[in-house]
Amino acid sequence: ISLYFHGFYAPLFIAINVILIFYKSFKYSYSHSNRALDAIVVIFWACCNLSRLTLARKGNKTEDIYGLLINVGLSFPVLLGHIFFYLWQSIILDIDKILSVIGIVFLVFEFILSGLAIMTFITNKRNI
């Protein structure tokens, strides 16, 4: 269920962050280097998170441990992206914090469930 809803949340997060980059550049004094940094982090976050979600879905459906392990490994760069959006942006709005907290909740929940799925798949393969 978490992967399903996170599949809707991730594109929404990307779209809102792109809109916020434009909003901040018109509303506030937002330098080109800061705008470029935020755009690069959004692109990096999007690539990591969408890859992570795809691997988690496929690994869960096929009971593939390696896909889930890569999913767990990609959780750390995605978490760093959320921390960046929550703490380290040059201009942080309340919506940035709300979106990041929601993303972190999804991420932690999926991290725990991926660990449980990996342990279940390992024990089931040993019993066969």
Side-chain angles (χ1 to χ4, degrees):
I1 292 174
S2 177
L3 290 173
Y4 177 77
F5 287 115
H6 201 173
F8 289 113
Y9 176 74
L12 181 70
F13 183 86
I14 295 166
I16 290 175
N17 271 300
V18 168
I19 292 168
L20 283 174
I21 288 172
F22 286 112
Y23 172 76
K24 291 174 189 176
S25 62
F26 289 121
K27 178 83 174 174
Y28 303 104
S29 174
Y30 197 46
S31 70
H32 294 293
S33 60
N34 288 338
R35 190 177 335 149
L37 176 65
D38 288 351
I40 289 170
V41 172
V42 168
I43 292 168
F44 172 74
W45 181 91
C47 292
C48 286
N49 197 37
L50 295 177
S51 300
R52 187 186 69 79
L53 288 173
T54 302
L55 287 168
R57 282 192 198 112
K58 287 184 179 183
N60 191 28
K61 289 178 186 175
T62 61
E63 296 185 4
D64 181 30
I65 297 168
Y66 299 111
L68 290 174
L69 285 173
I70 296 170
N71 164 42
V72 169
L74 284 174
S75 295
F76 297 108
V78 172
L79 180 63
L80 283 175
H82 282 298
I83 291 171
F84 173 83
F85 290 118
Y86 188 82
L87 296 175
W88 298 325
Q89 283 189 74
S90 56
I91 299 171
I92 302 171
L93 302 177
D94 288 338
I95 192 165
D96 288 319
K97 291 183 178 184
I98 292 168
L99 289 172
S100 293
V101 167
I102 292 170
I104 290 171
V105 168
F106 271 124
L107 193 64
V108 168
F109 190 62
E110 291 165 5
F111 184 83
I112 292 169
L113 290 178
S114 293
L116 292 173
I118 289 169
M119 288 189 292
T120 302
F121 298 157
I122 288 173
T123 56
N124 284 344
K125 286 189 178 185
R126 286 184 185 166
N127 292 336
I128 293 178

